[in-house]
Amino acid sequence: MSAGQENRAVKIYEMANAFAQRLDLDDLIPFALERCRELLGADGVSILLIDPEKRELYFPYVSESDPEAARKLFEARIPLDCGIAGAVLKSRRGELVLDAHRDPRFFSQVDDKTRTITGSLIAMPLLNKDDTPQGVIEAVRRVGEPAFTTDDMTLLEQLAGSVAIALENAQQFKRIRESEDRLRIEVGALRRELARNDRFAEIIAVSPAMSEVFRRAEAAAASIKSVLIQGETGTGKELVARAIHRISTRADRPFVAINCAAVPEGLLESELFGHRRGAFSGALEDQVGLFRAANGGVLFLDEIGEMPIQMQAKLLRVLQEGEVKPVGDTRSHKVDVRIISATNRDLEIDVHERKFRSDLFYRLNAFTIRIPPLRERREDIPLIASRLLEAAARAHGKTIQGLTAEAVQLIQAAEWPGNVRQLQNEIEQAVALAREGETLAPAHFSRELVTGPGHPISSEPSAGAQARSDAEARPGPSPTFGASLNDARARFEASFIADMLARFNGNVSRTAVALGVSRVTLQKKMKEYALRGSASGN
Ligand SMILES: Nc1ncnc2c1ncn2[C@@H]1O[C@H](COP(=O)(O)OP(=O)(O)OP(=O)(O)O)[C@@H](O)[C@H]1O
Ligand SMILES: [Mg+2]
């Protein structure tokens, strides 16, 4: 192989490689044109594409020996049906023209513009898979240079095939990408719109204090700062956190919640940051961790005040660096997560007492929302109660007529240390106790509430309330507010079933009828709560 041939082989190899590497089109095409120009010994190789709206050809890609000519070509436009390019587009067949500037079809304005005289020229159509033309690839030599040969034409024809495929793929990809972007924008807008229409639908409130909470939640949703939600237990911190996510631009990305108090200290780091398989005993699989699961969205750190101090340092580092490193891993992963944290503690006191890192506190507390306790917004109580009552009645399949005036007075005056959650428990229990068609009266509510300071029982206790009082006389755990709803429900259910069994002298069948459940269901519950019926069993 001669040196010239070897050089040629190297260039063809490089060109094929460039296509195989699927480079970005704007790197690939100029590179390929440059190599092709060298191979052909051409003065210029360029691509002309169709602008269908203007019915013109333009030169998006040019490789020229003369930079000034290249600049002029980028600006040039040729009417679609003019020139040799126009003829090639029409016939879809390549052409080798020996003396182009003498050819009657030649579009001389381009030569005028570039101040050159074209000698020989090869033009090859760029055809899509369905044979429709998208443009032309042209190689030119100036007058005085030797003319192109048919070998040169074959080489350009091969390049034209590869370029046409690359261009068509890129266009298809662009179209898909654009419609995908459009859809994504539309979905996001629709979701935000939906959320905006019932932005705080599940948060029931009429008080000015809560309007302020909503106002701040909206402001928080619109900013990108970290948000800290403070409020006593059961005030609705999580509801507000979810609402902020729902109305923010991250609505279509995940909302991931973790209760920092509920995860054992040793596991918190791997929960949050993930771990590699085998990082510690029990780590059987790789786990991505909540930070990465929440990527692009919101991570809700509930009860942040309970986070151990060493963990606070690690969290701070992640927030500062925007990267998490899974336990047992050597690599870090970039994360873009918005933090909403919540606490029922006074973190400033904790900071003062060095139980909470001040740098982390300031980082999390870029924006604070304080949710007032129920006793500071008593005007919300009747509405919340009646909505919760509807829901509970529906769940129990009962018709309840609402609350008596005394009951409203009672609940509105109560202290509610457990806030809305406690109110919810009370209403659920009262609905369970009430008979079909009844109106909830003070007697349906728990004794603490009824006999609380300044709230004497204002009407005769109903049979249900009597049963309940008996139940409470039994030794056993008293209801602790702030415990989970499931615990409270289970505790209540156990004592309620025990009462009913007592009323029916332990007769399971009659108790089941009275409770409106099947015998089997009742027996399951009795087993679950270790309750016993009469010896006869029915
Ligand atoms: N304004 C409200 N309207 C309707 N339901 C509410 C409202 N506030 C709270 N709730 C309900 O009360 C319960 C407690 O709410 P949430 O879990 O958001 O409170 P929290 O402040 O996070 O409590 P904790 O500190 O105990 O975690 C939930 O069942 C929630 O649906
Ligand atoms: Mg909570």
Side-chain angles (χ1 to χ4, degrees), residues 202-205 210 231-240 259 300 302-303 342-344 371 377 380 384 388 420-421 424 482 485:
E202 29 166 50
I203 309 177
I204 306 157
M210 283 304 284
E232 287 180 13
T233 178
T235 45
K237 295 185 291 294
E238 181 155 354
L239 283 189
V240 170
N259 183 335
F300 177 54
D302 202 2
E303 307 212 29
T343 181
N344 52 21
I371 308 183
R377 46 179 170 113
D380 285 340
I384 297 178
L388 294 175
V420 184
R421 183 178 291 114
Q424 193 170 14
L485 182 56

Side-chain angles (χ1 to χ4, degrees), residues 43-65:
D43 288 301
V45 177
S46 43
I47 285 177
L48 296 85
L49 290 183
I50 301 172
D51 175 345
E53 269 168 36
K54 296 197 174 135
R55 297 192 49 76
E56 284 174 342
L57 288 167
Y58 64 102
F59 293 79
Y61 301 101
V62 171
S63 168
E64 259 289 338
S65 55

Side-chain angles (χ1 to χ4, degrees), residues 224-264:
I224 50 155
K225 290 184 203 132
S226 304
V227 181
L228 177 68
I229 304 175
Q230 285 186 304
E232 287 180 13
T233 178
T235 45
K237 295 185 291 294
E238 181 155 354
L239 283 189
V240 170
R242 287 182 187 276
I244 292 173
H245 168 251
R246 211 170 41 235
I247 60 175
S248 77
T249 51
R250 295 183 173 229
D252 50 351
R253 311 309 299 271
F255 176 95
V256 175
I258 179 171
N259 183 335
C260 303
V263 181

